[in-house]
Amino acid sequence: MTTLEQFLRAHPDLRFIFTGGKGGVGKTVTAAALAYFFATQGKRTLLASLNPVHSLSSIFAQDLTGGEIKPVKGVNNLQAVEVETKDVVARYRENISRRVREFLKWADIPVDPRPFVDIAVTNPAFEESAMFDKMMDMMVQEKEAFDVIVFDTAAVANAVRLIGLSKIYGLWLSRMIESRKEALSLRVQLAFRKDKVMEEVKKDPLLADLLSMNERFNQVKELLTNGTQTAFFFVTLPLALPISVVKRFITMVSAYDIPVGGVLVNGILDRKVAEASDEEYLRNKFEEQLGYLQTIKQDLGPMVRSFIPLYPQEVVGLHTVATVANDMLHYMPDFWEDL
Ligand SMILES: Nc1ncnc2c1ncn2[C@@H]1O[C@H](COP(=O)(O)OP(=O)(O)OP(=O)(O)O)[C@@H](O)[C@H]1O
Ligand SMILES: [Mg+2]
């Protein structure tokens, strides 16, 4: 097994970290702990929450709301942002709306653009598209200001769709660009000499807009699939459902050539705790956990990077985040070896 510590040492140039997994398994906690770790290594680190409901403020026990990047008090080099879905969606809606209007105007289609805009912005994946767009923005814009960005993504289905979307997005963009070029050159060919056609085509604002979207998209795709710079970590608990979600997730992500950093197993009930207890409940839980850990070892063994103990209380406050970061790197349940 390659531990998290070994993995991080072997990947000194990581810049984009993602945590994924079923709801409630500890994605935000592990994202925070990873960000904390990078910051304490002296890397300028940004922890970005892209969830509809945020929990960074509660984890760090300080106000990180408002959608702006704020320094995390008490840790050098660490800043955090809870991206406001509402603002992102509103801005994205405006952009789409502008594009639809421009397109209809350019195509000389004298219709009310509103129904077209409505269709575009009420599709079920719209919010995710908007968040994906925002994430792309951050990857491109903040990469000079920060050495490492840790993204705390939303629920599993959402993140998978984000990734799936990126392929469709690229396809859609290149089609749009091609058809725009064709239409333009036909029109321009009538008005200009042949050697001037490409020059004129390049001046077209709609095409320029599409080209810059495409360039940004390709840039992000390159970053997202770059195994030295990017790693997706999947978080699970020793329970059936979260494990199967992680397996499904790893298969999907690998199909998109997105590098998997590994699996973080959260919420481990320590043997000492279980055995010291008079509660039959805890001892039963411990036995049950052994079964699930066996499954994890069998199905995901080589991908497992670390274990995080189940704490007697929630992860709240800086020193608890520090504990998670430390345990994530050093805690090893004594029963793992013999499973
Ligand atoms: N190892 C642990 N021991 C004790 N409590 C934990 C542990 N890991 C996470 N928690 C608690 O479990 C809850 C869920 O954790 P977290 O918010 O990180 O999950 P999540 O996967 O981000 O959830 P969501 O899908 O809602 O975003 C939080 O209250 C957190 O403090
Ligand atoms: Mg979360």
Side-chain angles (χ1 to χ4, degrees), residues 27-28 51 55 152:
K27 297 180 292 293
T28 304
N51 296 301
S55 45
D152 174 18

Side-chain angles (χ1 to χ4, degrees), residues 6-250:
Q6 291 163 343
F7 179 86
L8 293 176
R9 214 178 298 135
H11 294 80
D13 299 324
L14 283 179
R15 313 192 58 186
F16 304 106
I17 308 285
F18 295 81
T19 56
K22 194 180 172 300
V25 293
K27 297 180 292 293
T28 304
V29 163
T30 48
L34 282 163
Y36 179 91
F37 166 77
F38 285 114
T40 55
Q41 295 292 298
K43 306 224 167 168
R44 295 167 306 159
T45 306
L46 174 63
L47 173 59
S49 167
L50 293 174
N51 296 301
V53 181
H54 299 293
S55 45
L56 295 188
S57 294
S58 103
I59 280 190
F60 286 103
Q62 49 187 277
D63 179 18
L64 297 166
T65 57
E68 300 131 41
I69 296 176
K70 294 180 178 177
V72 175
K73 288 188 210 99
V75 199
N76 286 336
N77 306 314
L78 183 56
Q79 308 209 43
V81 59
E82 291 186 341
V83 175
E84 294 276 353
T85 316
K86 208 160 47 56
D87 297 350
V88 171
V89 167
R91 212 161 310 133
Y92 195 61
R93 184 190 302 261
E94 269 165 39
N95 272 339
I96 297 270
S97 161
R98 179 177 49 78
R99 290 202 168 102
V100 170
R101 278 166 212 279
E102 270 173 12
F103 182 80
L104 291 175
K105 201 171 120 208
W106 160 78
D108 274 336
I109 304 174
V111 292
D112 181 2
R114 271 173 302 184
F116 293 93
V117 173
D118 284 346
I119 290 169
V121 302
T122 51
N123 92 64
F126 185 74
E127 193 172 299
E128 281 110 273
S129 321
M131 282 316 233
F132 184 73
D133 203 71
K134 176 68 184 178
M135 187 201 81
M136 295 208 297
D137 260 358
M138 294 182 78
M139 286 180 81
V140 174
Q141 283 166 16
E142 305 295 347
K143 78 178 191 304
E144 304 306 324
F146 295 96
D147 302 314
V148 177
I149 307 181
V150 182
F151 288 103
D152 174 18
T153 60
V156 169
N158 194 339
V160 169
R161 249 184 266 133
L162 287 189
I163 295 157
L165 212 68
S166 72
K167 235 180 186 169
I168 299 165
Y169 199 67
L171 216 61
W172 175 81
L173 267 173
S174 45
R175 293 253 167 88
M176 279 294 282
I177 289 169
E178 279 321 304
S179 67
R180 180 69 179 151
K181 265 189 190 157
E182 263 169 43
L184 260 179
S185 60
L186 275 178
R187 190 185 280 195
V188 173
Q189 266 166 21
L190 299 174
F192 294 91
R193 289 196 354 245
K194 226 187 172 69
D195 56 328
K196 290 271 185 234
V197 169
M198 264 336 273
E199 243 169 74
E200 284 308 306
V201 166
K202 279 186 188 139
K203 279 187 206 153
D204 169 56
L206 196 58
L207 185 66
D209 190 33
L210 286 169
L211 285 172
S212 90
M213 272 168 84
N214 196 41
E215 192 193 325
R216 186 176 64 128
F217 174 76
N218 284 332
Q219 215 178 330
V220 169
K221 204 164 102 187
E222 218 170 282
L223 296 174
L224 270 184
T225 52
N226 179 330
T228 49
Q229 296 196 23
T230 298
F232 272 62
F233 289 99
F234 296 107
V235 188
T236 188
L237 298 171
L239 290 173
L241 230 51
I243 296 172
S244 61
V245 165
V246 164
K247 282 199 261 182
R248 193 154 45 89
F249 220 151
I250 288 181

